Amino acid sequence: MQPSGRSLFPKARVDALSDGIFAFAMTLLVLDIRLPDDLPLTSAADLTAHLVSLSHQMLTYVISFFVLGAFWRSGIEIRPSSETVDRHTVRLALLFLFFVTTVPFSSGLVGRYGGLAPAVVVYAGNMTMLAVLTIAIRYLDVEPRRRSLRSAAGGVLPLFIATAILSVLISLVAPGQGMYAYLLNAL
Amino acid sequence: MQPSGRSLFPKARVDALSDGIFAFAMTLLVLDIRLPDDLPLTSAADLTAHLVSLSHQMLTYVISFFVLGAFWRSGIEIRPSSETVDRHTVRLALLFLFFVTTVPFSSGLVGRYGGLAPAVVVYAGNMTMLAVLTIAIRYLDVEPRRRSLRSAAGGVLPLFIATAILSVLISLVAPGQGMYAYLLNAL
Amino acid sequence: MQPSGRSLFPKARVDALSDGIFAFAMTLLVLDIRLPDDLPLTSAADLTAHLVSLSHQMLTYVISFFVLGAFWRSGIEIRPSSETVDRHTVRLALLFLFFVTTVPFSSGLVGRYGGLAPAVVVYAGNMTMLAVLTIAIRYLDVEPRRRSLRSAAGGVLPLFIATAILSVLISLVAPGQGMYAYLLNAL
Amino acid sequence: MQPSGRSLFPKARVDALSDGIFAFAMTLLVLDIRLPDDLPLTSAADLTAHLVSLSHQMLTYVISFFVLGAFWRSGIEIRPSSETVDRHTVRLALLFLFFVTTVPFSSGLVGRYGGLAPAVVVYAGNMTMLAVLTIAIRYLDVEPRRRSLRSAAGGVLPLFIATAILSVLISLVAPGQGMYAYLLNAL
């Protein structure tokens, strides 16, 4: 299916797939905040206790939603840009979207097993891939002689990668506290 | 990922994400109206009885669908508007969309535990956040000197918040009847 | 949230929500064709037998997908049309989309309990609502003095409603065979 | 619902439904990579072991995502094309999209039962249908006298069908290894 030679693709269609995948991934996240189907809750106090027990998953959900939102936002910022893209850019966009679709998985993993280091590592890896690919796409999206890694990284993406690494380090020392590192990005 | 300075974003892309998230959230609601997988139903009477037992969840589904529909509709109404938005507006739109994605959760909660006050409180809180953020977005969407809280609230949003509060009060007195308050909005 | 007076809404946004809901509902249908999670299948013959046992659900899936596809197609047909719609049309469109989102539920119901009449009745009711609302929307979409019920019904929608009624009658006589009535529409 | 005579449909709407269905199908794939809800994991080693046990499902996910991505990409390539399509093309597009929505099912099947030949056959059949319908759509999308099967197949689609057949042959000889055949397309 590799198109031969100098195929061109309309950026509007890449944007449409991207908006769809972001919208779906951001909405899918909510499916992880569920009370088990067979929970026999009969009092208000029971239900409140179970809702409180979901607080870690809710924090993860909030973080994942707004991190995805921030990546989406950085992708739609108005920049001088062509209306068509070549096949290398489409490939890179698909690779980026792949790591968008894995967020519901890694977010659900860290929501349920946030006290175990491997879950935090998988989530941090997912976040790092999103940040690195965003830098790559922003770097390649300008004409060759005006490319600048500093401009593509935009100051905040390296900070974001640093908080991902920090979350892993924290979770090794204080299990279950790693996710709080991502809140640094909200400052 | 905070874009620096005076970043601009195309409103068309914000609209596209918004339409996608509304479409998915409205469709996801149906997943809560499910007969359990392992239900051994063998007669028509059994199946009818189980379908009738889903009536409270169906009422919740209908309310949530049309409430989301009404919020979506109020967002697409044609007004004099710019084709680009700044980063504060995008942030506010994402915050609003966050509370759209939580509707399948809070709707499912009240569908299953509608007889318990905390479920009604969570749902009412979700509805109130949607209404307050809609007012805020409509308020900020006009140029500063023409802003009017009265115009942004549009007369019906305060009424909607009132019915959310009413639903909580009703559910304290008559458990399981709170959701009927929202039907006032259909008048 | 009822917009006051002569609010106008862009048809393009109604179309976007509609395409999103159709796309999601059509894709959600596949979730009903699932082998149970805890199925210990160890031989090819076992797996083939279980796949064959899904054939009724697959038939339902195929019917539901192409019925939704046909409704979507009849909605996008190019006709002389305005670029804006009023609030009554948006309401009607939302009501129509509501019955699109219930298709995964009623389709799953008939896929699992196709031998029981209530499931076939629910599905037929859903199909009939889609057909009636399509006729209503097509009727109201032309200027008042050129409206024609015959033209709105298009010849095939009454036939479709007839097959829905036929499916109920068949399922009363020959349980489990009702869905075959819908295949008449493929002729 | 068959539109009579020479109905025309806007290609933009077909594209919108297509982008939506691809976006959801590609995101739905992730739902198959799930740890069971009731898994009592208490140590990092446990969690790592379970994540490793998901590696076959992850490989299937990666393959399915990028195969769908490649089909989507081949559909958006810029070619001289009309802005409207006739009803035969819409039908063919819906048939193609049907086999896009079945990918989450066949991909989940081969992810769980990749060691059993029927699962590999179903997946290969799904892939072959996607390839054949892509060739048909590309063939019919140009004006009659310029049609060329060779150009529609594009060199890579026959190769893709060959790898699907190869995957079935491999799975008969070496159960569980069939999916590796698809990696040939990445070369």
Side-chain angles (χ1 to χ4, degrees):
Chain A
M1 276 143 301
Q2 295 94 332
S4 58
R6 300 189 161 275
S7 309
L8 282 180
F9 304 88
K11 192 160 181 309
R13 294 295 299 279
V14 179
D15 290 347
L17 186 78
S18 173
D19 289 341
I21 285 182
F22 266 101
F24 197 22
M26 286 160 88
T27 315
L28 264 187
L29 293 169
V30 85
L31 292 186
D32 270 306
I33 312 184
R34 280 183 95 81
L35 297 174
D37 274 348
D38 49 358
L39 213 58
L41 296 174
T42 50
S43 77
D46 268 11
L47 182 56
T48 305
H50 274 88
L51 286 174
V52 169
S53 77
L54 291 174
S55 62
H56 177 70
Q57 290 182 35
M58 283 184 189
L59 173 68
T60 306
Y61 172 41
V62 171
I63 290 173
S64 297
F65 183 93
F66 288 103
V67 165
L68 281 181
F71 277 114
W72 171 80
R73 197 182 60 183
S74 91
I76 67 161
E77 196 181 340
I78 293 174
R79 270 169 268 131
S81 181
S82 169
E83 282 187 17
T84 56
V85 293
D86 63 13
R87 69 191 181 100
H88 301 295
T89 309
V90 178
R91 268 170 199 254
L92 213 55
L94 283 172
L95 191 61
F96 174 72
L97 291 176
F98 174 78
F99 286 104
V100 171
T101 68
T102 58
V103 170
F105 168 73
S106 62
S107 179
L109 193 71
V110 90
R112 280 199 288 160
Y113 304 111
L116 302 177
V120 181
V121 170
V122 167
Y123 191 79
N126 199 342
M127 294 295 118
T128 303
M129 288 309 301
L130 285 173
V132 167
L133 286 166
T134 297
I135 295 175
I137 289 169
R138 288 164 66 116
Y139 180 76
L140 295 171
D141 193 35
V142 291
E143 46 177 317
R145 64 199 177 86
R146 295 185 54 196
R147 279 178 189 155
S148 146
L149 202 56
R150 178 184 298 260
S151 163
V156 289
L157 286 167
L159 182 69
F160 181 70
I161 295 173
T163 60
I165 294 169
L166 184 61
S167 77
V168 173
L169 297 179
I170 291 177
S171 76
L172 292 176
V173 182
Q177 312 299 315
M179 292 304 287
Y180 293 105
Y182 291 98
L183 297 179
L184 289 175
N185 292 287
L187 296 182
Chain B
M1 275 141 304
Q2 294 94 330
S4 57
R6 301 188 162 276
S7 308
L8 283 180
F9 305 87
K11 190 158 183 311
R13 294 295 299 280
V14 179
D15 290 348
L17 187 77
S18 173
D19 289 341
I21 284 182
F22 267 101
F24 311 160
M26 287 160 88
T27 315
L28 265 186
L29 294 169
V30 85
L31 292 186
D32 271 304
I33 312 183
R34 282 182 94 81
L35 297 173
D37 273 349
D38 49 359
L39 213 59
L41 296 174
T42 50
S43 77
D46 267 12
L47 182 55
T48 305
H50 274 88
L51 287 175
V52 169
S53 77
L54 291 176
S55 62
H56 177 71
Q57 290 182 34
M58 282 184 190
L59 174 68
T60 307
Y61 172 41
V62 171
I63 290 173
S64 297
F65 182 93
F66 288 104
V67 165
L68 281 181
F71 277 114
W72 171 78
R73 197 183 58 183
S74 93
I76 68 161
E77 197 180 340
I78 295 175
R79 271 169 268 130
S81 179
S82 169
E83 281 187 18
T84 56
V85 291
D86 64 13
R87 69 192 180 99
H88 301 295
T89 309
V90 177
R91 268 171 199 253
L92 212 56
L94 282 173
L95 191 61
F96 173 73
L97 291 176
F98 174 77
F99 286 103
V100 171
T101 68
T102 60
V103 170
F105 168 73
S106 62
S107 179
L109 194 70
V110 90
R112 279 199 287 160
Y113 304 111
L116 303 176
V120 181
V121 171
V122 167
Y123 191 78
N126 199 342
M127 293 296 118
T128 304
M129 287 309 301
L130 285 173
V132 168
L133 286 166
T134 296
I135 296 175
I137 289 169
R138 288 163 67 115
Y139 181 77
L140 294 171
D141 193 35
V142 293
E143 46 176 317
R145 63 200 177 86
R146 297 185 53 196
R147 281 177 188 156
S148 147
L149 203 55
R150 177 183 299 261
S151 162
V156 290
L157 286 166
L159 182 69
F160 181 71
I161 295 173
T163 60
I165 294 169
L166 183 62
S167 77
V168 173
L169 297 178
I170 292 177
S171 76
L172 291 175
V173 181
Q177 312 300 314
M179 291 305 286
Y180 294 105
Y182 291 98
L183 297 179
L184 289 175
N185 292 285
L187 297 182
Chain C
M1 274 143 303
Q2 294 94 330
S4 59
R6 301 188 162 276
S7 308
L8 283 180
F9 304 87
K11 191 159 183 309
R13 294 295 298 279
V14 180
D15 290 348
L17 187 78
S18 174
D19 290 341
I21 285 182
F22 266 101
F24 197 24
M26 287 160 89
T27 316
L28 264 188
L29 293 170
V30 84
L31 293 185
D32 271 305
I33 312 183
R34 282 182 93 82
L35 297 174
D37 273 350
D38 49 358
L39 212 59
L41 296 174
T42 50
S43 76
D46 268 11
L47 182 55
T48 304
H50 274 88
L51 287 174
V52 169
S53 75
L54 291 175
S55 62
H56 178 70
Q57 291 183 33
M58 283 185 189
L59 173 69
T60 307
Y61 172 41
V62 170
I63 291 172
S64 297
F65 182 93
F66 287 103
V67 165
L68 282 181
F71 277 113
W72 171 79
R73 197 183 58 183
S74 92
I76 68 163
E77 197 181 337
I78 294 174
R79 271 170 267 130
S81 180
S82 169
E83 282 187 16
T84 56
V85 293
D86 63 12
R87 68 192 181 98
H88 302 296
T89 310
V90 177
R91 268 171 199 254
L92 213 55
L94 283 172
L95 191 61
F96 173 73
L97 291 176
F98 174 77
F99 286 103
V100 171
T101 68
T102 59
V103 170
F105 168 72
S106 62
S107 178
L109 194 70
V110 90
R112 279 199 288 161
Y113 305 111
L116 303 177
V120 180
V121 171
V122 167
Y123 191 78
N126 199 342
M127 294 296 117
T128 304
M129 288 309 301
L130 285 173
V132 168
L133 287 166
T134 296
I135 296 175
I137 289 169
R138 287 162 67 115
Y139 181 76
L140 295 171
D141 193 35
V142 292
E143 45 176 320
R145 64 198 176 88
R146 295 185 54 197
R147 279 177 191 158
S148 147
L149 202 56
R150 180 184 297 262
S151 162
V156 291
L157 286 166
L159 183 69
F160 181 70
I161 295 173
T163 60
I165 294 169
L166 183 61
S167 77
V168 173
L169 298 179
I170 292 178
S171 76
L172 291 177
V173 181
Q177 313 299 315
M179 291 305 286
Y180 293 105
Y182 292 98
L183 298 179
L184 289 174
N185 292 285
L187 297 181
Chain D
M1 276 142 300
Q2 295 94 331
S4 59
R6 301 189 161 274
S7 308
L8 283 180
F9 304 88
K11 192 160 182 307
R13 295 295 299 279
V14 180
D15 290 348
L17 186 79
S18 174
D19 289 341
I21 285 183
F22 267 102
F24 312 160
M26 287 161 88
T27 317
L28 266 186
L29 293 170
V30 85
L31 293 185
D32 270 306
I33 312 184
R34 280 183 94 82
L35 297 174
D37 273 349
D38 49 357
L39 213 59
L41 296 173
T42 50
S43 76
D46 268 10
L47 181 56
T48 305
H50 273 88
L51 287 174
V52 169
S53 77
L54 292 174
S55 62
H56 178 69
Q57 290 182 35
M58 283 184 189
L59 173 68
T60 307
Y61 172 40
V62 170
I63 290 172
S64 296
F65 182 93
F66 287 103
V67 165
L68 282 181
F71 276 113
W72 171 79
R73 197 182 60 183
S74 93
I76 67 162
E77 197 182 338
I78 295 174
R79 271 170 268 130
S81 181
S82 170
E83 282 188 16
T84 56
V85 292
D86 63 13
R87 69 193 181 99
H88 301 295
T89 309
V90 177
R91 269 171 199 253
L92 212 56
L94 283 172
L95 191 61
F96 173 73
L97 291 176
F98 174 77
F99 287 103
V100 171
T101 68
T102 59
V103 169
F105 168 72
S106 62
S107 179
L109 194 70
V110 89
R112 279 199 287 160
Y113 304 112
L116 303 177
V120 180
V121 170
V122 168
Y123 190 79
N126 200 342
M127 294 295 118
T128 303
M129 287 309 300
L130 285 173
V132 167
L133 286 165
T134 296
I135 295 176
I137 289 169
R138 287 163 67 116
Y139 180 76
L140 295 171
D141 193 35
V142 291
E143 46 177 320
R145 62 198 177 88
R146 295 184 54 196
R147 279 177 190 158
S148 147
L149 202 57
R150 180 184 296 263
S151 163
V156 290
L157 286 167
L159 183 68
F160 180 70
I161 295 173
T163 60
I165 294 169
L166 183 61
S167 77
V168 173
L169 297 178
I170 291 178
S171 76
L172 292 176
V173 182
Q177 313 298 315
M179 292 303 286
Y180 293 106
Y182 292 98
L183 297 179
L184 289 174
N185 292 286
L187 297 181

